[in-house]
Amino acid sequence: MTPELLSSIQAQVEAALYEDLNGLNPDNDITALLIPAEQTVSARIITRESCVLCGQAWLEEAFRQIKSEVEITWLAKDGDKLSPNQTLCQLKGSARDILTAERTALNFIQTLSATATATSIYVAKIAHTQTKLLDTRKTIPGLRLAQKYAVTCGGGQNHRIGLYDAFLIKENHIIAAGSIENAVKQARQIAPNKPVEVEVENNDELNLALAAGADIIMLDNYSPAEIAAASDINKAADKPAKLEMSGNITLETIADYAQAGVDFISSGALTKHIQAIDLSLRID
């Protein structure tokens, strides 16, 4: 994990605990105060459904921030494929601490595992091709780096992290800049070392983006047949670009798009069309 991600985990967990405890004092969990402070228990977290695990660091950070000495023994690691009723980890320590951190820890794992699981399903559909699956910026607010990490646990790759690390020139940027050529030229002047990607809606725009020297060209809402034609145009160019497909990607169609000849397929479904994984903490 990068230092940026580790810092993000700390901030995300702190915000989540603060929300749950109205502060960061575990004694604010008034229900946990019903339990004697000295009582210890053993517990385990299981998944009720098949999934790809993601979120170990978030769980550990939740216990760390409530200054817990709960012993955590992992029986699986991020990226592992789990079966229904499989145990993720075992916990041993203060009953109060385990129950106070439970919801925050599970909320992160169930959400991030959902993204990792969805990604793994999409990746499996195109595993027989050379096309790579990318995520988008359509993430849950505050969880950008977390969900980007989850995508990698599921076998996908990260697109740009935000608005700062790559250019993605879309229709409105082109209109405001005056043309594709102007937009690409300005991008090269502003940040010469940043990748420049241009979104196009037809092959006339594709040719303009190629002529302007775009590094990556996003084919917006192309059909598989249109992608094949665009791929031929790209191969014939003096300086071919990487091709990315985006728009209306589903599990039923993703293989058709991959086989049509694109380098990348990006999908917002990996991070926004997800259903939390059903997890359960059980005291033994």
Side-chain angles (χ1 to χ4, degrees), residues 106-127:
L106 291 186
N107 281 350
F108 280 110
I109 294 179
Q110 70 185 21
T111 301
L112 300 183
S113 294
T115 288
T117 301
T119 302
S120 71
I121 294 171
Y122 275 79
V123 166
K125 291 286 188 179
I126 59 172

Side-chain angles (χ1 to χ4, degrees), residues 197 210 214-218 234 240-244 262-264:
E197 181 169 1
L210 286 168
D215 299 309
I216 307 168
I217 298 175
M218 179 186 289
N234 184 54
K242 295 291 186 179
L243 296 182
E244 176 184 338
V262 289
D263 299 286
F264 308 108

Side-chain angles (χ1 to χ4, degrees), residues 94-170:
S94 163
R96 283 187 181 183
D97 289 349
I98 288 173
L99 294 176
T100 295
E102 172 189 3
R103 187 68 268 153
T104 293
L106 291 186
N107 281 350
F108 280 110
I109 294 179
Q110 70 185 21
T111 301
L112 300 183
S113 294
T115 288
T117 301
T119 302
S120 71
I121 294 171
Y122 275 79
V123 166
K125 291 286 188 179
I126 59 172
H128 61 292
T129 75
Q130 298 300 310
T131 303
K132 305 301 182 184
L133 181 67
L134 305 179
D135 52 26
T136 71
R137 288 171 45 243
K138 297 174 183 177
T139 53
I140 298 170
L143 292 183
R144 172 66 55 79
L145 292 183
Q147 286 195 288
K148 292 278 187 178
Y149 169 74
V151 165
T152 66
C153 288
Q157 297 184 6
N158 296 150
H159 204 281
R160 58 179 182 158
I161 301 300
L163 296 172
Y164 56 90
D165 57 332
F167 291 94
L168 179 46
I169 301 169
K170 296 192 174 187

